[in-house]
Amino acid sequence: MRRSPAPRELPPPLEIECLKSLWRLGESSVRRVQEEMATRRPLTYTTVMTLLERLLKRGRVARRKQ
């Protein structure tokens, strides 16, 4: 029987880039994170939103809806 892979301690590289952008910006919107990341890697709004959702599910970021 196969074992499940061990949980990753570090997020994947693209999620790390997203986290770095958030650290630079502080509390921010998806659009602002996308704009900040675009200086290094152009990503669509929905891609950044998905990255932030994944980080939220893993408990690495928090969300406040307005």
Side-chain angles (χ1 to χ4, degrees):
M1 189 181 320
R2 281 187 175 181
R3 289 186 191 178
S4 313
R8 293 177 66 136
E9 290 197 25
L10 288 176
L14 193 53
E15 289 180 15
I16 290 174
E17 282 187 46
C18 190
L19 282 170
K20 286 180 180 179
S21 293
L22 270 174
W23 290 328
R24 279 190 283 277
L25 296 168
E27 186 175 319
S28 189
S29 66
V30 176
R31 177 71 64 204
R32 186 69 187 105
V33 173
Q34 178 202 16
E35 290 169 354
E36 204 282 331
M37 289 180 75
T39 60
R40 293 174 310 286
R41 175 181 254 173
L43 298 170
T44 64
Y45 178 89
T46 55
T47 300
V48 175
M49 189 168 58
T50 300
L51 290 168
L52 291 169
E53 283 290 326
R54 288 180 186 168
L55 291 166
L56 177 68
K57 286 180 183 176
R58 292 186 184 124
R60 302 201 187 262
V61 298
R63 173 172 45 198
R64 182 170 58 99
K65 290 187 177 185
Q66 284 188 318

